Amino acid sequence: MKIFSSKEEGEEDGEKTKSKGDQAKELLAKYGGAYLATSITLSLISFSLCYALISAGIDVQALLQKVNSIYQ
């Protein structure tokens, strides 16, 4: 199970996957305000958590690398 991956997955038979922007547009059209509220909330939590960890002097990059190595 890979959580942090820079590679696009799901390419089959030469088909390119949709861009993140196109995926977001489809989700917004399908789920409307619920998708928007969830995305904004999760973004605020993520940014706040990273800010708090960095302010506390924790090496966030090393922490994320450790988490990534667990799931590879």
Side-chain angles (χ1 to χ4, degrees):
M1 178 165 104
K2 289 187 178 182
I3 294 177
F4 304 105
S5 177
S6 61
K7 295 180 181 177
E8 292 289 326
E9 295 182 11
E11 292 184 15
E12 296 178 3
D13 301 326
E15 287 185 25
K16 291 187 177 181
T17 58
K18 296 177 184 174
S19 70
K20 297 291 182 187
D22 290 339
Q23 291 174 357
K25 287 177 186 178
E26 285 183 11
L27 288 171
L28 184 58
K30 187 173 183 178
Y31 298 109
Y35 166 71
L36 197 58
T38 303
S39 296
I40 291 171
T41 302
L42 290 176
S43 295
L44 289 173
I45 290 170
S46 297
F47 290 133
S48 299
L49 181 61
C50 284
Y51 180 82
L53 292 172
I54 291 169
S55 295
I58 296 173
D59 186 3
V60 176
Q61 183 178 5
L63 180 65
L64 290 175
Q65 287 175 345
K66 285 181 184 178
V67 170
N68 189 27
S69 67
I70 292 171
Y71 291 104
Q72 284 188 343

